[in-house]
Amino acid sequence: MQPDAAALPRGSRLGHAIGQNIGLILAGAILALAVAGFLLVYSIEQHRLPGNFELTSTVNNAIPLVFAAVGQSFVVLTRGIDLSVGGVVDLANALAAVTMGKSLGGALLWSAVILAVGAACGLVNGLLVAFGRLQPIVVTLATLSIYQGLAIRVLPAPGGAIPPAYTNLLVNPNAPWALVYIGLLVLAWAGFRRSRTGVDLYAIGNDEASARALGVNVLRTKIIAYMLDGALAAAAGLFLAASATAGDATTGNSYTLTSIVAVVLGGVSLFGGRGSAAGAIAGAFITTLIVNILFFSHVNPLYQSFYEGVFLIVAVVLGGAIGGAIRRRR
Amino acid sequence: MRTLTVDTRRILYAIAAAIGLFVVGEMAHPGFLSGPSVASILVIASFVGLVAAGQCFVILIGGIDLSVPWVMNAAAILLTTTSLGKNTGAPEAIAAALGMGVAVGVANGIGIALFGIPAVVMTLAANGIVEGLTLGLSGGFTCSSCSSYAPPLIQTLAHGSLLGIPDALWLWAFVTALVSGALAVTRFGRATYALGTNPLAATLAGIDARRMTILLYALCGGFAALGGIMLVGFGGQASLGLGDPYLFTSIAAVVIGGVNILGGRGNYLGVAAGAVSLTVLVSVLLALSMPDYVRSIAYGVVILALLLAYGRENER
């Protein structure tokens, strides 16, 4: 059993820091490999290095998954899992397309409402998990179906409109401005991690019974985790709508599974208590870059999911082996 | 003994829910409870039931199989392309499809038991791998043999009937007896429950946890393939995404059938009742000509209601 990093004194040895953050370090290594792989494939194919356009499109493609994955990581850290992420992305996407209209001001106002709707979806999940004493996987399986249904009710057929100014603000096509949002997300996470709730979150993921015995408010912390998850999934839906400049009540479905993949690749343990938002962000970029690499390698798109599946297994097995070896050597 | 009564009660709840939904259907749409209507609903439920049998095995040891959809799809396309719609090639085609399902299951089991990959991750990756291979090798279902029909033998199995009862239901009854029997009275069944309740204790008691895990995932893959075979027999041709709805439905059937998602408790009889409940629910909503979104919402609400009614974790 690894002790919770937060429970240890600050400034402990470097080796200890490596051991504690091995998941994040491995995720960084995989991300570096993915970037290198992309640069290699791209320059062979295009006879030049990728520039501003490629960077911008990669960031803009990755950002919905970044938000969905960070949301997922909150719940996974409590040793839960959220299968309803895709449904919340769908619902936010559909609401955005229907409500935003033409003006930027209205769009921003509605964005706040939609984030609140996402948090409310998370609240329902959290209440059912915490007070209903039901397993997260079955609760969110059921609410996935409900949120997907609501999304289709809101927007029965793809369509609606997103103001161009809103698209430029969220996913500017000319420069990777969207990185600012990722920076804000990291800052917010860093603050949260040091807050009482953040520490409690890790405590619950490591050992729920001990956390409860030490006075952690398990119910409250879990509900907050699910609400943050829901709000971030809704943010993913907003970015998705901004990219597509229209809505579709089904495009979000894939985010349930890709957010789990990103979290796993980012070194967040599905058994709770270990990992970070930075890891989840790295995982989201790895997932996006793999798709780019396959595209520029001229892999038959029909085989795409085959290579993604193989990559996921290899990454998890190698990551587990390297992480295990380092932990044993300490 | 107390656990036994709780488990039995859960099975009875699942059966009561199925009957209750049938009654609601009759009230909402007279004629719903007629013989042919009930038979056709049960046939559809049998496909869910077959897939859920496999899912039940792995959930009993606290696992899960997300590779079900594309194993079903791959089995369906493998069956039609190897038999080319002829009965002569049917046995080999069935063997190939089931063998493929078992092989994927063995791979899942090895990844989980020997390499320690979380079940969610391993089976999710396996689903992608099978999807990619199926789409790639069949050229996205555009190959010349891809439009072949299922052999008449299989189509008869899915559509025909014996002594007034559909063949598919005979098959399901046989599977139900086999699975329930195996879980209730054999060494295999006891080992499965032991492993799901406490893996460490089970290992200390002499159960080969790795071998059991691989075996159970292999069975799950085999049952998913069987579901795919029956489904293509029912529909005639293999279609893209044929297995997709069965992922969540199979898990939902297992859970509302009273099987603990953390493993160790539950019985296939409850799962079969769960499969019937879910199918009746969809049929009722269809009979009421509800729009898609209502079906989707009602599905989620009913699953939650059933779970809150009896699916609570009652361990302290």
PDB file of all heavy atoms in Angstrom, chain B residues 197-220:
ATOM      1  N   THR B 197     -15.818 -13.670  -3.916  1.00  0.00           N
ATOM      2  CA  THR B 197     -16.012 -13.190  -2.541  1.00  0.00           C
ATOM      3  C   THR B 197     -14.706 -12.721  -1.949  1.00  0.00           C
ATOM      4  O   THR B 197     -14.623 -11.659  -1.354  1.00  0.00           O
ATOM      5  CB  THR B 197     -16.591 -14.313  -1.663  1.00  0.00           C
ATOM      6  OG1 THR B 197     -17.709 -14.884  -2.341  1.00  0.00           O
ATOM      7  CG2 THR B 197     -17.021 -13.783  -0.312  1.00  0.00           C
ATOM      8  N   ASN B 198     -13.640 -13.527  -2.121  1.00  0.00           N
ATOM      9  CA  ASN B 198     -12.354 -13.178  -1.529  1.00  0.00           C
ATOM     10  C   ASN B 198     -11.245 -13.912  -2.281  1.00  0.00           C
ATOM     11  O   ASN B 198     -10.982 -15.085  -2.012  1.00  0.00           O
ATOM     12  CB  ASN B 198     -12.350 -13.565  -0.041  1.00  0.00           C
ATOM     13  CG  ASN B 198     -11.115 -13.051   0.663  1.00  0.00           C
ATOM     14  OD1 ASN B 198     -10.075 -12.831   0.038  1.00  0.00           O
ATOM     15  ND2 ASN B 198     -11.223 -12.855   1.970  1.00  0.00           N
ATOM     16  N   PRO B 199     -10.604 -13.229  -3.222  1.00  0.00           N
ATOM     17  CA  PRO B 199      -9.608 -13.893  -4.075  1.00  0.00           C
ATOM     18  C   PRO B 199      -8.473 -14.520  -3.272  1.00  0.00           C
ATOM     19  O   PRO B 199      -8.022 -15.624  -3.577  1.00  0.00           O
ATOM     20  CB  PRO B 199      -9.078 -12.755  -4.952  1.00  0.00           C
ATOM     21  CG  PRO B 199     -10.076 -11.673  -4.857  1.00  0.00           C
ATOM     22  CD  PRO B 199     -10.760 -11.823  -3.544  1.00  0.00           C
ATOM     23  N   LEU B 200      -8.055 -13.814  -2.225  1.00  0.00           N
ATOM     24  CA  LEU B 200      -6.928 -14.320  -1.433  1.00  0.00           C
ATOM     25  C   LEU B 200      -7.310 -15.615  -0.726  1.00  0.00           C
ATOM     26  O   LEU B 200      -6.593 -16.622  -0.804  1.00  0.00           O
ATOM     27  CB  LEU B 200      -6.493 -13.257  -0.415  1.00  0.00           C
ATOM     28  CG  LEU B 200      -5.273 -13.644   0.427  1.00  0.00           C
ATOM     29  CD1 LEU B 200      -4.049 -13.828  -0.465  1.00  0.00           C
ATOM     30  CD2 LEU B 200      -5.002 -12.588   1.486  1.00  0.00           C
ATOM     31  N   ALA B 201      -8.480 -15.582  -0.068  1.00  0.00           N
ATOM     32  CA  ALA B 201      -8.944 -16.772   0.633  1.00  0.00           C
ATOM     33  C   ALA B 201      -9.133 -17.929  -0.338  1.00  0.00           C
ATOM     34  O   ALA B 201      -8.802 -19.080  -0.043  1.00  0.00           O
ATOM     35  CB  ALA B 201     -10.241 -16.466   1.370  1.00  0.00           C
ATOM     36  N   ALA B 202      -9.652 -17.608  -1.536  1.00  0.00           N
ATOM     37  CA  ALA B 202      -9.893 -18.652  -2.531  1.00  0.00           C
ATOM     38  C   ALA B 202      -8.575 -19.287  -2.962  1.00  0.00           C
ATOM     39  O   ALA B 202      -8.466 -20.510  -3.089  1.00  0.00           O
ATOM     40  CB  ALA B 202     -10.628 -18.065  -3.735  1.00  0.00           C
ATOM     41  N   THR B 203      -7.550 -18.441  -3.163  1.00  0.00           N
ATOM     42  CA  THR B 203      -6.246 -18.955  -3.574  1.00  0.00           C
ATOM     43  C   THR B 203      -5.663 -19.840  -2.470  1.00  0.00           C
ATOM     44  O   THR B 203      -5.142 -20.920  -2.735  1.00  0.00           O
ATOM     45  CB  THR B 203      -5.283 -17.786  -3.866  1.00  0.00           C
ATOM     46  OG1 THR B 203      -5.952 -16.870  -4.730  1.00  0.00           O
ATOM     47  CG2 THR B 203      -4.018 -18.275  -4.546  1.00  0.00           C
ATOM     48  N   LEU B 204      -5.796 -19.376  -1.222  1.00  0.00           N
ATOM     49  CA  LEU B 204      -5.276 -20.154  -0.096  1.00  0.00           C
ATOM     50  C   LEU B 204      -6.016 -21.489   0.041  1.00  0.00           C
ATOM     51  O   LEU B 204      -5.461 -22.475   0.513  1.00  0.00           O
ATOM     52  CB  LEU B 204      -5.395 -19.353   1.205  1.00  0.00           C
ATOM     53  CG  LEU B 204      -4.477 -18.131   1.278  1.00  0.00           C
ATOM     54  CD1 LEU B 204      -4.744 -17.338   2.543  1.00  0.00           C
ATOM     55  CD2 LEU B 204      -3.009 -18.539   1.188  1.00  0.00           C
ATOM     56  N   ALA B 205      -7.278 -21.493  -0.409  1.00  0.00           N
ATOM     57  CA  ALA B 205      -8.063 -22.723  -0.322  1.00  0.00           C
ATOM     58  C   ALA B 205      -7.744 -23.660  -1.485  1.00  0.00           C
ATOM     59  O   ALA B 205      -8.388 -24.687  -1.655  1.00  0.00           O
ATOM     60  CB  ALA B 205      -9.548 -22.385  -0.293  1.00  0.00           C
ATOM     61  N   GLY B 206      -6.762 -23.287  -2.307  1.00  0.00           N
ATOM     62  CA  GLY B 206      -6.323 -24.194  -3.360  1.00  0.00           C
ATOM     63  C   GLY B 206      -6.961 -23.967  -4.707  1.00  0.00           C
ATOM     64  O   GLY B 206      -6.857 -24.810  -5.598  1.00  0.00           O
ATOM     65  N   ILE B 207      -7.639 -22.830  -4.879  1.00  0.00           N
ATOM     66  CA  ILE B 207      -8.221 -22.539  -6.192  1.00  0.00           C
ATOM     67  C   ILE B 207      -7.179 -21.817  -7.044  1.00  0.00           C
ATOM     68  O   ILE B 207      -6.539 -20.864  -6.580  1.00  0.00           O
ATOM     69  CB  ILE B 207      -9.483 -21.667  -6.040  1.00  0.00           C
ATOM     70  CG1 ILE B 207     -10.589 -22.492  -5.369  1.00  0.00           C
ATOM     71  CG2 ILE B 207      -9.955 -21.135  -7.382  1.00  0.00           C
ATOM     72  CD1 ILE B 207     -11.751 -21.672  -4.885  1.00  0.00           C
ATOM     73  N   ASP B 208      -6.985 -22.279  -8.272  1.00  0.00           N
ATOM     74  CA  ASP B 208      -6.039 -21.625  -9.174  1.00  0.00           C
ATOM     75  C   ASP B 208      -6.738 -20.396  -9.760  1.00  0.00           C
ATOM     76  O   ASP B 208      -7.487 -20.494 -10.738  1.00  0.00           O
ATOM     77  CB  ASP B 208      -5.622 -22.596 -10.273  1.00  0.00           C
ATOM     78  CG  ASP B 208      -4.511 -22.022 -11.142  1.00  0.00           C
ATOM     79  OD1 ASP B 208      -4.350 -20.787 -11.161  1.00  0.00           O
ATOM     80  OD2 ASP B 208      -3.818 -22.816 -11.797  1.00  0.00           O
ATOM     81  N   ALA B 209      -6.500 -19.238  -9.121  1.00  0.00           N
ATOM     82  CA  ALA B 209      -7.244 -18.030  -9.480  1.00  0.00           C
ATOM     83  C   ALA B 209      -7.005 -17.641 -10.935  1.00  0.00           C
ATOM     84  O   ALA B 209      -7.927 -17.222 -11.639  1.00  0.00           O
ATOM     85  CB  ALA B 209      -6.847 -16.886  -8.553  1.00  0.00           C
ATOM     86  N   ARG B 210      -5.762 -17.777 -11.389  1.00  0.00           N
ATOM     87  CA  ARG B 210      -5.459 -17.381 -12.767  1.00  0.00           C
ATOM     88  C   ARG B 210      -6.205 -18.251 -13.764  1.00  0.00           C
ATOM     89  O   ARG B 210      -6.807 -17.752 -14.708  1.00  0.00           O
ATOM     90  CB  ARG B 210      -3.955 -17.493 -13.003  1.00  0.00           C
ATOM     91  CG  ARG B 210      -3.184 -16.486 -12.166  1.00  0.00           C
ATOM     92  CD  ARG B 210      -1.715 -16.692 -12.316  1.00  0.00           C
ATOM     93  NE  ARG B 210      -1.014 -15.533 -11.780  1.00  0.00           N
ATOM     94  CZ  ARG B 210       0.298 -15.391 -11.794  1.00  0.00           C
ATOM     95  NH1 ARG B 210       1.058 -16.332 -12.325  1.00  0.00           N
ATOM     96  NH2 ARG B 210       0.859 -14.320 -11.300  1.00  0.00           N
ATOM     97  N   ARG B 211      -6.151 -19.566 -13.531  1.00  0.00           N
ATOM     98  CA  ARG B 211      -6.811 -20.470 -14.473  1.00  0.00           C
ATOM     99  C   ARG B 211      -8.315 -20.206 -14.491  1.00  0.00           C
ATOM    100  O   ARG B 211      -8.943 -20.158 -15.550  1.00  0.00           O
ATOM    101  CB  ARG B 211      -6.527 -21.924 -14.071  1.00  0.00           C
ATOM    102  CG  ARG B 211      -6.355 -22.830 -15.280  1.00  0.00           C
ATOM    103  CD  ARG B 211      -6.203 -24.264 -14.846  1.00  0.00           C
ATOM    104  NE  ARG B 211      -7.396 -24.715 -14.132  1.00  0.00           N
ATOM    105  CZ  ARG B 211      -7.512 -25.933 -13.597  1.00  0.00           C
ATOM    106  NH1 ARG B 211      -6.506 -26.783 -13.677  1.00  0.00           N
ATOM    107  NH2 ARG B 211      -8.607 -26.294 -12.986  1.00  0.00           N
ATOM    108  N   MET B 212      -8.905 -20.006 -13.304  1.00  0.00           N
ATOM    109  CA  MET B 212     -10.347 -19.742 -13.231  1.00  0.00           C
ATOM    110  C   MET B 212     -10.701 -18.443 -13.961  1.00  0.00           C
ATOM    111  O   MET B 212     -11.691 -18.373 -14.677  1.00  0.00           O
ATOM    112  CB  MET B 212     -10.784 -19.624 -11.770  1.00  0.00           C
ATOM    113  CG  MET B 212     -11.084 -20.938 -11.068  1.00  0.00           C
ATOM    114  SD  MET B 212     -12.330 -21.914 -11.917  1.00  0.00           S
ATOM    115  CE  MET B 212     -13.796 -20.926 -11.605  1.00  0.00           C
ATOM    116  N   THR B 213      -9.880 -17.397 -13.757  1.00  0.00           N
ATOM    117  CA  THR B 213     -10.168 -16.110 -14.396  1.00  0.00           C
ATOM    118  C   THR B 213     -10.155 -16.268 -15.915  1.00  0.00           C
ATOM    119  O   THR B 213     -11.061 -15.804 -16.614  1.00  0.00           O
ATOM    120  CB  THR B 213      -9.123 -15.063 -13.955  1.00  0.00           C
ATOM    121  OG1 THR B 213      -9.151 -14.975 -12.534  1.00  0.00           O
ATOM    122  CG2 THR B 213      -9.422 -13.704 -14.554  1.00  0.00           C
ATOM    123  N   ILE B 214      -9.115 -16.950 -16.423  1.00  0.00           N
ATOM    124  CA  ILE B 214      -9.010 -17.133 -17.871  1.00  0.00           C
ATOM    125  C   ILE B 214     -10.199 -17.941 -18.375  1.00  0.00           C
ATOM    126  O   ILE B 214     -10.829 -17.603 -19.390  1.00  0.00           O
ATOM    127  CB  ILE B 214      -7.676 -17.814 -18.233  1.00  0.00           C
ATOM    128  CG1 ILE B 214      -6.511 -16.888 -17.853  1.00  0.00           C
ATOM    129  CG2 ILE B 214      -7.624 -18.171 -19.712  1.00  0.00           C
ATOM    130  CD1 ILE B 214      -5.148 -17.540 -17.948  1.00  0.00           C
ATOM    131  N   LEU B 215     -10.550 -19.001 -17.628  1.00  0.00           N
ATOM    132  CA  LEU B 215     -11.680 -19.845 -18.030  1.00  0.00           C
ATOM    133  C   LEU B 215     -12.980 -19.041 -18.101  1.00  0.00           C
ATOM    134  O   LEU B 215     -13.752 -19.143 -19.055  1.00  0.00           O
ATOM    135  CB  LEU B 215     -11.821 -21.004 -17.032  1.00  0.00           C
ATOM    136  CG  LEU B 215     -13.047 -21.903 -17.202  1.00  0.00           C
ATOM    137  CD1 LEU B 215     -12.984 -22.633 -18.537  1.00  0.00           C
ATOM    138  CD2 LEU B 215     -13.150 -22.906 -16.054  1.00  0.00           C
ATOM    139  N   LEU B 216     -13.210 -18.185 -17.083  1.00  0.00           N
ATOM    140  CA  LEU B 216     -14.466 -17.434 -17.035  1.00  0.00           C
ATOM    141  C   LEU B 216     -14.545 -16.402 -18.158  1.00  0.00           C
ATOM    142  O   LEU B 216     -15.595 -16.223 -18.769  1.00  0.00           O
ATOM    143  CB  LEU B 216     -14.627 -16.768 -15.662  1.00  0.00           C
ATOM    144  CG  LEU B 216     -14.885 -17.767 -14.526  1.00  0.00           C
ATOM    145  CD1 LEU B 216     -14.702 -17.122 -13.168  1.00  0.00           C
ATOM    146  CD2 LEU B 216     -16.288 -18.351 -14.642  1.00  0.00           C
ATOM    147  N   TYR B 217     -13.422 -15.726 -18.436  1.00  0.00           N
ATOM    148  CA  TYR B 217     -13.438 -14.775 -19.558  1.00  0.00           C
ATOM    149  C   TYR B 217     -13.608 -15.506 -20.883  1.00  0.00           C
ATOM    150  O   TYR B 217     -14.263 -14.999 -21.804  1.00  0.00           O
ATOM    151  CB  TYR B 217     -12.195 -13.882 -19.550  1.00  0.00           C
ATOM    152  CG  TYR B 217     -12.336 -12.716 -18.605  1.00  0.00           C
ATOM    153  CD1 TYR B 217     -11.902 -12.796 -17.290  1.00  0.00           C
ATOM    154  CD2 TYR B 217     -12.981 -11.553 -19.011  1.00  0.00           C
ATOM    155  CE1 TYR B 217     -12.068 -11.744 -16.411  1.00  0.00           C
ATOM    156  CE2 TYR B 217     -13.161 -10.495 -18.142  1.00  0.00           C
ATOM    157  CZ  TYR B 217     -12.698 -10.592 -16.833  1.00  0.00           C
ATOM    158  OH  TYR B 217     -12.892  -9.550 -15.971  1.00  0.00           O
ATOM    159  N   ALA B 218     -13.020 -16.719 -20.995  1.00  0.00           N
ATOM    160  CA  ALA B 218     -13.190 -17.519 -22.210  1.00  0.00           C
ATOM    161  C   ALA B 218     -14.665 -17.856 -22.406  1.00  0.00           C
ATOM    162  O   ALA B 218     -15.211 -17.740 -23.512  1.00  0.00           O
ATOM    163  CB  ALA B 218     -12.354 -18.789 -22.125  1.00  0.00           C
ATOM    164  N   LEU B 219     -15.335 -18.257 -21.303  1.00  0.00           N
ATOM    165  CA  LEU B 219     -16.764 -18.554 -21.385  1.00  0.00           C
ATOM    166  C   LEU B 219     -17.544 -17.315 -21.815  1.00  0.00           C
ATOM    167  O   LEU B 219     -18.456 -17.381 -22.633  1.00  0.00           O
ATOM    168  CB  LEU B 219     -17.271 -19.031 -20.020  1.00  0.00           C
ATOM    169  CG  LEU B 219     -16.989 -20.487 -19.661  1.00  0.00           C
ATOM    170  CD1 LEU B 219     -17.339 -20.746 -18.204  1.00  0.00           C
ATOM    171  CD2 LEU B 219     -17.778 -21.418 -20.571  1.00  0.00           C
ATOM    172  N   CYS B 220     -17.153 -16.166 -21.258  1.00  0.00           N
ATOM    173  CA  CYS B 220     -17.847 -14.920 -21.592  1.00  0.00           C
ATOM    174  C   CYS B 220     -17.717 -14.621 -23.090  1.00  0.00           C
ATOM    175  O   CYS B 220     -18.687 -14.282 -23.752  1.00  0.00           O
ATOM    176  CB  CYS B 220     -17.303 -13.766 -20.754  1.00  0.00           C
ATOM    177  SG  CYS B 220     -18.213 -12.249 -20.998  1.00  0.00           S
TER     178      CYS B 220
END
